[in-house]
């Protein structure tokens, strides 16, 4: 288990700002944006295979692992229960760390505990293999998308979340479906062109890296896997989304070890 400077023996529900990897770890994997849903059986199967075969000592799940999470009381519904069982089994062999994204920010303590997740604050620092890395889902720094940032501020508030969770389960599913359909309509014309979506604000990222004494930000959200130089020795590494249902399936793992960061195709990451 990772050790937090604030709490050497963190509980599964802790949300610390900095983690120090134990010296016995040989590799850490980072993935995001799997968007698991009932209509993505290929992605789910690929994830199950990966979790059973990755040689990494820990896997950091940096948000949007689920297409939507409407509350922990859904975790024993048929589809969600299958995912819960998969993660719980995987956590017996590999440490799993979960950071909320814009699709699964309602994942709470109950699901985390039963799935074997240690929850992470966004952003947080991972100190491993002699380096400090800043980890984030990334959506909070997409500042050009002002409508989204206003929506994000609303739904991350405790009053909105409590009011939403007080609604019946089916009503929450209907609301989530409606929000998703509205989002897709707004992206009509370039839904499959993430290069046209809002990107992270470079000045804000540089400021965050300096504040945390880090040189590299690792994040997801934008579906644009690449390394971006930010100047002054700073950079960001964007994680791949996973879509095994697409005509050209895609999935990639970012692996961190003593050699630094390497991008692995999914098949190679499982050996």
């Amino acid at each position: 288990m990772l050790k937090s400077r604030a709490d050497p023996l963190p509980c599964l529900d802790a949300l610390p700002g900095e983690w120090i990897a134990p010296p016995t770890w040989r590799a850490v994997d980072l993935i995001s944006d799997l968007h698991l849903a009932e209509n993505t059986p290929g992605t789910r199967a690929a994830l199950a295979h990966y979790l059973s075969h990755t040689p990494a000592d820990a896997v950091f799940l940096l948000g949007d692992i689920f297409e939507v999470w409407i509350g922990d009381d859904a975790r024993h519904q048929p589809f969600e229960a299958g995912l819960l069982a998969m993660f719980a089994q995987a956590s017996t062999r590999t440490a799993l760390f979960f950071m909320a994204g814009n699709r699964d920010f309602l994942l709470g303590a109950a699901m985390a505990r039963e799935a074997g997740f240690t929850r992470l604050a966004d952003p947080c620092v991972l100190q491993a293999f002699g380096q400090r890395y800043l980890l984030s889902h990334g959506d909070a720094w997409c500042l050009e998308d002002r409508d989204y940032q206003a929506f994000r501020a609303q739904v991350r508030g405790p009053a909105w979340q409590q009011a939403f969770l007080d609604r019946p389960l089916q009503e929450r599913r209907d609301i989530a479906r409606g929000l998703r359909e509205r989002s897709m309509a707004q992206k009509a014309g370039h839904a499959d062109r993430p290069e046209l979506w809002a990107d992270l604000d470079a000045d804000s990222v540089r400021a965050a890296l300096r504040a945390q004494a880090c040189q590299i930000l690792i994040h997801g959200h934008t579906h644009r896997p690449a390394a971006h130089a930010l100047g002054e020795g700073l950079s960001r590494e964007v994680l791949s989304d996973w879509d095994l249902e697409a005509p050209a399936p895609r999935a990639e793992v970012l692996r961190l070890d003593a050699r630094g960061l390497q991008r692995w195709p999914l098949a190679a990451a499982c050996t």
Side-chain angles (χ1 to χ4, degrees):
M1 180 68 69
L2 281 178
K3 292 184 178 180
S4 164
R5 286 182 174 176
D7 182 356
L9 294 172
C11 70
L12 287 177
D13 301 335
L15 293 168
E18 183 165 337
W19 294 95
I20 303 174
T24 55
W25 279 11
R26 300 160 298 165
V28 172
D29 283 355
L30 303 107
I31 61 176
S32 71
D33 298 280
L34 278 64
H35 295 272
L36 296 170
E38 292 186 69
N39 64 349
T40 63
T43 301
R44 175 182 172 177
L47 176 62
H49 178 78
Y50 159 75
L51 290 173
S52 298
H53 292 84
T54 176
D57 299 281
V59 176
F60 282 70
L61 307 159
L62 298 188
D64 285 5
I65 304 306
F66 307 93
E67 172 66 4
V68 64
W69 192 260
I70 58 173
D72 283 6
D73 57 337
R75 69 190 186 279
H76 297 309
Q77 297 294 304
F79 173 71
E80 290 82 359
L83 297 178
L84 171 56
M86 176 185 65
F87 284 119
Q89 177 61 34
S91 71
T92 64
R93 66 179 299 271
T94 307
L96 301 180
F97 296 85
F98 175 85
M99 179 182 289
N102 52 294
R103 301 295 183 84
D104 45 23
F105 61 87
L106 286 175
L107 190 144
M111 175 62 179
R113 187 178 300 109
E114 293 182 19
F117 293 160
T118 295
R119 294 190 297 159
L120 300 171
D122 184 359
C124 69
V125 172
L126 170 63
Q127 183 172 317
F129 308 107
Q131 298 290 332
R132 291 169 58 82
Y133 299 90
L134 187 61
L135 310 182
S136 176
H137 180 60
D139 61 312
W141 284 315
C142 291
L143 302 183
E144 289 186 4
D145 192 345
R146 296 184 179 181
D147 289 342
Y148 170 71
Q149 292 301 329
F151 174 75
R152 185 182 191 278
Q154 177 188 30
V155 301
R156 295 301 179 101
W160 185 94
Q161 292 188 9
Q162 189 58 59
F164 181 79
L165 292 172
D166 284 343
R167 296 173 181 267
L169 187 61
Q170 185 56 52
E171 184 177 347
R172 276 178 271 151
R173 289 195 189 279
D174 293 340
I175 292 172
R177 185 181 303 108
L179 290 172
R180 177 59 178 154
E181 290 172 354
R182 186 174 70 180
S183 175
M184 293 302 294
Q186 290 172 343
K187 292 179 179 177
H190 57 267
D192 296 323
R193 298 182 63 192
E195 70 274 10
L196 300 179
W197 303 352
D199 206 350
L200 276 63
D201 181 78
D203 289 338
S204 298
V205 171
R206 281 190 286 264
L209 285 168
R210 293 190 196 102
Q212 297 296 335
C214 298
Q215 292 184 308
I216 300 175
L217 167 68
I218 301 173
H219 71 88
H221 183 63
T222 65
H223 296 204
R224 282 180 266 189
H228 298 267
L230 299 171
E232 302 175 24
L234 307 177
S235 63
R236 61 186 176 97
E237 293 278 348
V238 186
L239 300 173
S240 166
D241 64 319
W242 287 27
D243 188 349
L244 281 300
E245 326 300 325
R250 58 187 181 273
E252 188 178 77
V253 173
L254 189 65
R255 180 161 294 163
L256 170 62
D257 60 22
R259 298 168 294 176
L261 291 165
Q262 309 97 39
R263 294 181 180 273
W264 290 74
L266 183 59
C270 297
T271 59

